[in-house]
Amino acid sequence: MSTKRKFVADGCFYSELNELLIAELAEDGYAGVEVRTTPHRTNIIVRATRTQNVLGEKGQRIRELTSVVQKRFDFDDGAVELYAERVQNRGLCAQAQAESLKYKLLGGLAVRRACYGVVRFVMEASAKGCEVIVTGKLRGQRAKAMKFGDGYMIKTGHAGEVYTDMAVRHVMMRQGVVGIRVSIFLPQDPKGILGPKIPLDDVVTILEPKEEINPETLLQQQAAAEEAARIQAEQAAMAAAAAPVEAAPESGY
């Protein structure tokens, strides 16, 4: 298989797997999937907020999902394995918040109240910024878009790719399809747990100035050090002069 075909096949596999897990694990706080391929086995890590529901009773549900993936993508027995991983901070996960907003709207909660609740929850989870866009027939027959935001959001450049977590969901309402887009601007974390390790380009860190040494004090310290070295050398010379000189051994001739 050529390199181009391999990349396309991997992309199709990830896309179809993601769609399957979104449909199957939507109520369990599904927050993304990661595929790790080794020469002997393919490991699929499913991230979710409620991992116990993903595993099921005695691991039954995760085994069923493994079987479905194995049959659909023609894996050999034991060649694919599914694992569940808990999301560290669901307030900083755009997919989890999009699913939460989706079920709030399906439950009949007002759009403004639901969106402002999500924005507040995200900002309380130490995010730098959040933006929620809801489009569709929200009130009445006329479709429109509503945008809710807080903090600041960088959408372009390298920072927009690295720092912004974005998720899109479609809600099948009675009046039609409503689209949801949640964007979260992650904080910078040196450990790389809550957000990216690399700092933003425009963040300037001002260090405390070093203590300036007075030149007179420096000269005095140098003179004292030289005096101490001179005294030590004189004492060593006096000690060498006072030591008795040993007689040379007589030759045996």
Side-chain angles (χ1 to χ4, degrees), residues 66-242:
T66 304
S67 177
V68 169
V69 171
Q70 179 182 330
K71 289 177 182 176
R72 166 63 186 85
F73 297 104
D74 294 329
F75 282 106
D76 296 331
D77 290 338
V80 64
E81 193 71 37
L82 263 71
Y83 301 96
E85 182 182 55
R86 185 185 296 277
V87 176
Q88 295 287 342
N89 190 346
R90 64 191 182 96
L92 297 178
C93 179
Q95 295 200 46
Q97 293 308 310
E99 290 289 349
S100 170
L101 181 57
K102 174 182 174 180
Y103 282 99
K104 283 181 181 177
L105 295 179
L106 287 172
L109 194 63
V111 176
R112 284 179 184 274
R113 189 170 179 185
C115 292
Y116 277 126
V118 168
V119 171
R120 188 173 64 251
F121 184 80
V122 169
M123 294 305 293
E124 286 174 357
S126 73
K128 290 285 186 184
C130 176
E131 184 182 70
V132 177
I133 301 175
V134 183
T135 58
K137 288 198 281 188
L138 306 174
R139 293 179 62 185
Q141 288 298 306
R142 182 74 175 181
K144 61 178 181 177
M146 297 175 75
K147 186 183 290 187
F148 307 87
D150 196 3
Y152 69 98
M153 180 74 58
I154 296 177
K155 299 182 181 180
T156 58
H158 184 248
E161 295 177 5
V162 175
Y163 271 84
T164 306
D165 187 18
M166 195 261 291
V168 175
R169 290 291 182 272
H170 302 92
V171 190
M172 306 299 173
M173 306 283 282
R174 256 184 330 196
Q175 63 267 31
V177 181
V178 172
I180 295 170
R181 187 170 75 182
V182 178
S183 301
I184 299 174
F185 194 73
L186 302 171
Q188 192 257 333
D189 184 13
K191 295 181 180 177
I193 298 172
L194 298 178
K197 288 184 180 180
I198 56 171
L200 284 170
D201 299 330
D202 56 349
V203 172
V204 179
T205 306
I206 300 175
L207 303 175
E208 289 292 326
K210 294 181 179 179
E211 263 188 58
E212 289 188 7
I213 301 174
N214 193 357
E216 293 181 2
T217 309
L218 187 61
L219 289 172
Q220 289 174 3
Q221 289 176 355
Q222 287 178 353
E226 289 173 2
E227 184 68 21
R230 186 181 63 78
I231 292 171
Q232 189 176 2
E234 287 178 359
Q235 289 176 352
M238 290 171 62

